[in-house]
Amino acid sequence: MHFESTPTPSPSASQPFIPPTTPRLPAPRRPAFAPGGFGMQFQPPPAPGFGSAIGAGKGKEREDEGERERGMKSIEERRREIEREERAMEGKIEKPGKEEAEACYVPPPATLYHTATEPLPLLYSPQPLPPYTIAYETWGTLNAARSNAILLHTGLSASSHVASRGNGVASSTASKPGWWEDFVGPGKSIDTDRFFVICTNVLGGCFGSTGPSSPYPLGESNVRWATRFPLLSIHDMMRAQLSLLDDLGIDKLYASVGASMGGMQSLSLAYLAPERVGRVASISATGRSGLGGVGMRYAQRSVLMADPNWNRGFYYDGVPPHNGMKLARQIATITYRSGPEWETRFGRRMLSEKEEDVPRLSPDFLIETYLDHQGERFCLTYDANSMIYLSKAMDLFDLTAPALNSLAKRYASAYPDAPPFPFPSDPPSVSCDAPRPENVEPMGDVKRNERFIPTSKSAHLPELAEGLRRLKNIPALVLGVQSDVLFPVEQQRELADALKMAGNESVTYYELGGVWGHDTFLLDVQNVGGAIRGFLH
């Protein structure tokens, strides 16, 4: 199914455009000394542009355009170098489509688009986002009853291209393997012979959906939102996807499935509109962001925003912050696998391991060269501002009752006439995409199963259970991985126990071993795929 993109309506004189509230930015940073060293004058080599999807104009720092162009490598040339490096790494790189978590996927040249006709209310801004676009792809066939739809939610940096052979997309897109190629397709874990599968590029992303790199409504030519873009929440992203489901004529999903940040989205959708979700699967995710993950993502944003080329987010007409992005991705990549997996994969092998060679200060251990490779690859394919906004949305995710009550009050104050952001005590009949019914009776107390003994020792377990009461009638799959560093398995235990304490009697919990860490959801087809297949079928 294909919905053509429609132009964003321009504000009329009677209804002037009021930009949504932008997030507060850190103070501008300037280097205390030249990066070449004390007393040294150093001019860093020019970095390539972000690509045609973002557009590159004449940067303010370009004093000699001809000299810069002669010294600058094109993105395509650098990508070819990276491919040669991959082949030289003696099998250390898995086959395409199975790279790091939230796979580094080159944006598809063509996909499907849905443009909302109404502004989107936002949790952290009293002004809504103007009509927006969502890029998406579909696989399989929607049945006559429109009851076999599965919505897949992506990790932070993935595009909508989850698998090949999509419906109505360009052949150059349909022929490429997707980031979950081994899991989605005819006869696979998510069987497209049986299900109609939908995957979007999340709001705030850079692969076709509205985000910081999209045109700014009040700007001209190639002016971008940049950091004028409003702060997003996971819940805002789900409201946008519900708009897509409405246009596709899908009232209720057979299942909502996601991993990593996608697992947060899957839970959010079930909270916001319980009666529109038949099943919910959360893989290697959490019901509330743990501080370990918050700290790691903060470190990534810090090194990125410290890059002078970030320019407080306004880099689209100049040189992108490639050095900051590269370092941020290196930090992220460390959290995607586990120490034992690194040992098995690389050992302590070095490029300078011959007796006549001297160890280098530059990348020398194979693990160092791999991290360097991943960082460089990512900074050429993903927008820095999208990484900042989406990682912050992950940090803000919290389904405990106190957090949800606070958001519901904030939203009701900002948008009193809009469909509500539900309170955790609201019954499932209260939805974020319909007017609030009159005389709503809050849900009664949950009858505790005295025989149930939680495995989680989290002090937040009762608050999370209270927040998840609206999901009590939705069968749930929770899958954790013991070697996961980014989302430790304790967070999945906490989630599964909280669902059970909330009165959900259809919770399936799997805890996987292995050494792949967070990337298990991309690599372990037998166990992750088997769990999904059993849950759906």
Side-chain angles (χ1 to χ4, degrees), residues 322-395:
H322 280 171
N323 288 334
M325 274 288 278
K326 180 177 178 179
L327 292 172
R329 187 62 173 187
Q330 290 178 357
I331 296 171
T333 301
I334 294 171
T335 70
Y336 293 158
R337 299 291 178 94
S338 70
E341 200 266 346
W342 296 129
E343 291 285 351
T344 302
R345 192 175 182 186
F346 299 113
R348 289 186 55 82
R349 284 171 291 177
M350 304 169 69
L351 297 178
S352 61
E353 58 188 5
K354 296 180 181 179
E355 290 185 5
E356 62 270 20
D357 288 341
V358 176
R360 313 170 184 181
L361 292 176
S362 58
D364 193 4
F365 283 95
L366 290 189
I367 177 62
E368 294 175 328
T369 64
Y370 180 74
L371 293 175
D372 186 72
H373 156 82
Q374 283 300 312
E376 180 120 7
R377 187 183 183 191
F378 187 68
C379 75
L380 297 176
T381 60
Y382 202 76
D383 181 35
N385 282 337
S386 283
M387 196 284 282
I388 290 171
Y389 274 78
L390 297 188
S391 70
K392 186 65 177 184
M394 293 175 70
D395 292 351

Side-chain angles (χ1 to χ4, degrees), residues 48-376:
F50 180 62
S52 59
I54 299 301
K58 292 184 178 180
K60 297 178 181 179
E61 300 177 359
R62 299 183 181 180
E63 297 179 358
D64 187 344
E65 184 67 23
E67 185 70 24
R68 175 171 291 232
E69 289 297 330
R70 287 191 294 271
M72 184 186 299
K73 295 180 180 177
S74 70
I75 290 180
E76 289 303 320
E77 181 182 351
R78 182 59 190 130
R79 283 177 181 158
R80 287 194 292 271
E81 287 184 5
I82 291 175
E83 290 175 358
R84 290 194 293 270
E85 292 170 3
E86 289 181 348
R87 290 193 293 270
M89 290 178 73
E90 302 176 356
K92 307 300 187 298
I93 311 294
E94 280 91 0
K95 64 183 180 180
K98 299 181 70 174
E99 249 320 294
E100 296 308 302
E102 305 154 13
C104 293
Y105 178 71
V106 177
T111 186
L112 309 179
Y113 295 94
H114 157 69
T115 297
T117 58
E118 298 294 331
L120 180 71
L122 300 171
L123 279 175
Y124 295 108
S125 172
Q127 295 85 30
L129 183 72
Y132 52 92
T133 296
I134 294 292
Y136 72 100
E137 294 181 48
T138 67
W139 299 260
T141 303
L142 186 62
N143 63 19
R146 299 179 178 267
S147 61
N148 68 330
I150 293 178
L151 182 59
L152 298 183
H153 307 279
T154 72
L156 181 148
S157 59
S159 75
S160 60
H161 191 65
V162 72
S164 58
R165 294 188 280 184
N167 299 321
V169 297
S171 58
S172 55
T173 299
S175 61
K176 292 181 179 293
W179 57 267
W180 230 15
E181 184 74 21
D182 291 338
F183 294 79
V184 179
K188 296 181 181 178
S189 301
I190 301 177
D191 189 352
T192 53
D193 287 337
R194 176 177 179 182
F195 299 112
F196 179 67
V197 179
I198 311 161
C199 184
T200 76
N201 176 222
V202 73
L203 187 71
C206 57
F207 293 155
S209 295
T210 297
S213 60
S214 299
Y216 183 55
L218 294 182
E220 298 179 357
S221 184
N222 63 343
V223 175
R224 312 287 170 167
W225 272 97
T227 46
R228 288 176 291 225
F229 200 73
L231 194 66
L232 291 176
S233 72
I234 298 292
H235 305 299
D236 297 328
M237 302 171 195
M238 292 305 94
R239 282 181 180 270
Q241 295 192 19
L242 283 171
S243 173
L244 168 62
L245 294 181
D246 290 340
D247 268 2
L248 293 174
I250 298 171
D251 293 328
K252 184 172 183 177
L253 292 167
Y254 183 86
S256 175
V257 180
S260 189
M261 186 183 81
M264 297 177 174
Q265 296 174 60
S266 188
L267 293 168
S268 169
L269 184 63
Y271 175 83
L272 292 174
E275 296 190 334
R276 299 192 66 173
V277 178
R279 292 168 176 78
V280 59
S282 176
I283 304 166
S284 296
T286 181
R288 59 177 188 89
S289 283
L291 294 185
V294 171
M296 292 301 295
R297 288 185 289 271
Y298 169 73
Q300 294 168 46
R301 292 193 298 271
S302 294
V303 297
L304 197 166
M305 297 163 91
D307 187 326
N309 288 334
W310 181 63
N311 193 31
R312 296 171 67 77
F314 292 86
Y315 51 81
Y316 295 110
D317 62 347
V319 180
H322 280 171
N323 288 334
M325 274 288 278
K326 180 177 178 179
L327 292 172
R329 187 62 173 187
Q330 290 178 357
I331 296 171
T333 301
I334 294 171
T335 70
Y336 293 158
R337 299 291 178 94
S338 70
E341 200 266 346
W342 296 129
E343 291 285 351
T344 302
R345 192 175 182 186
F346 299 113
R348 289 186 55 82
R349 284 171 291 177
M350 304 169 69
L351 297 178
S352 61
E353 58 188 5
K354 296 180 181 179
E355 290 185 5
E356 62 270 20
D357 288 341
V358 176
R360 313 170 184 181
L361 292 176
S362 58
D364 193 4
F365 283 95
L366 290 189
I367 177 62
E368 294 175 328
T369 64
Y370 180 74
L371 293 175
D372 186 72
H373 156 82
Q374 283 300 312
E376 180 120 7

Side-chain angles (χ1 to χ4, degrees), residues 471-511:
L471 281 67
K472 68 178 183 179
N473 298 322
I474 304 176
L477 169 67
V478 179
L479 192 152
V481 179
Q482 293 173 348
S483 57
D484 194 338
V485 177
L486 186 58
F487 289 89
V489 72
E490 168 57 27
Q491 294 181 10
Q492 286 88 55
R493 294 174 186 164
E494 176 190 57
L495 175 59
D497 284 346
L499 285 166
K500 294 174 183 177
M501 290 177 62
N504 193 321
E505 298 179 355
S506 301
V507 179
T508 303
Y509 176 65
Y510 292 112
E511 190 170 300

